[in-house]
Amino acid sequence: SDLQKREERGELLQPLIFVVLVLCSVLLYFKVSLMDPGFVKPEEEVKAGNSEEQSMVIPQVPSNIKMRRCGYCMVKQPMRAKHCQLCQHCVRRYDHHCPWIENCVGEKNHPLFVVYLSVQLVVLLWGGHIAWSGLYFEQSWDWLQHNILLLMSFLLIVVFTTVVLLLLISHLYLISCNTTTWEFMSHHRISYLRHSELENPFDQGVILNLWRFFC
């Protein structure tokens, strides 16, 4: 492959960068998987109440929408929080429960989840280029025997690249609108969205939405 040829020539910069990117993606995976996504805890109810009051000053959100107590873990849910049946906790600014990381994506780990997807996409694109550069096509059984693993790796990388790319694009779109996957999919069932005059009362423009999410 192209990376192997560079290594044999003593050009170690690109192989080193590739290895570092792979390690970063693995570390980000474990970080996002193991960190608290923003669980609402009983001792944080007062803090959640203050946050809720601040949310109510947004003129687009109906003032008659009050915090409700979760029927599962019995804590007061701040606005935009939802109970996750798999994690058995309410999660602030709940986006979704990701089976890839076996954890919820919420207020605390959502930005890092997007960074993880971005790094993973770069690794997959580069890995796909490396696999493709090692393929030379011949119509013979011997060629297939020697290249079957590399060919299967390339096809697998293409599948994962497509999935990660679509996931990253969808998340960036929702972030730019200041909405979550749960709010987007369940708009008609959420009281503070169903009773709002606007379709999305939290949208403050693309630039400000992105700034507040990442910064």
Side-chain angles (χ1 to χ4, degrees), residues 22-36 100-101 103 109 112 116:
V22 172
L23 288 175
C24 283
S25 70
V26 173
L27 290 174
L28 282 168
Y29 171 82
F30 283 110
K31 177 66 175 176
V32 176
S33 299
L34 299 174
M35 72 182 295
D36 178 1
W100 286 16
I101 63 174
N103 193 12
N109 67 347
L112 206 60
Y116 162 68

Side-chain angles (χ1 to χ4, degrees), residues 12 15 22-23 32 36 39 44 47 60 70 72 100 102 106 130 142 156 160 181-182 189 191 197 213-214:
L12 300 178
V22 172
L23 288 175
V32 176
D36 178 1
F39 294 135
E44 295 176 348
K47 183 179 175 181
Q60 294 91 338
C70 176
Y72 296 98
W100 286 16
E102 197 55 41
I130 293 168
D142 288 337
L156 196 62
F160 279 116
T181 303
W182 172 59
R189 294 194 290 124
S191 58
E197 295 179 1
F213 181 84
F214 287 107

Side-chain angles (χ1 to χ4, degrees), residues 2 11 54 56 105 126 143-144 186 198 208 215:
D2 178 61
E11 300 173 7
Q54 290 174 7
M56 289 305 173
V105 176
W126 199 347
W143 176 88
L144 188 61
S186 306
L198 300 178
L208 193 56
C215 305

Side-chain angles (χ1 to χ4, degrees), residues 106-198:
E107 184 180 76
K108 289 187 177 180
N109 67 347
H110 198 173
L112 206 60
F113 179 74
V114 174
V115 173
Y116 162 68
L117 289 178
S118 303
V119 173
Q120 191 66 56
L121 181 62
V122 173
V123 170
L124 285 167
L125 289 172
W126 199 347
H129 168 73
I130 293 168
W132 180 259
S133 68
L135 290 171
Y136 54 94
F137 294 96
E138 294 179 7
Q139 292 183 348
S140 67
W141 177 248
D142 288 337
W143 176 88
L144 188 61
Q145 280 185 317
H146 285 91
N147 291 273
I148 185 66
L149 289 177
L150 194 59
L151 188 60
M152 289 176 64
S153 298
F154 176 75
L155 294 175
L156 196 62
I157 287 172
V158 169
V159 172
F160 279 116
T161 302
T162 304
V163 172
V164 173
L165 179 62
L166 292 175
L167 194 58
L168 181 59
I169 289 173
S170 65
H171 273 275
L172 289 175
Y173 168 74
L174 293 174
I175 291 164
S176 68
C177 299
N178 196 2
T179 189
T180 64
T181 303
W182 172 59
E183 289 172 342
F184 182 78
M185 300 295 290
S186 306
H187 187 279
H188 61 287
R189 294 194 290 124
I190 302 172
S191 58
Y192 58 82
L193 295 179
R194 190 173 67 246
H195 297 122
S196 173
E197 295 179 1
L198 300 178

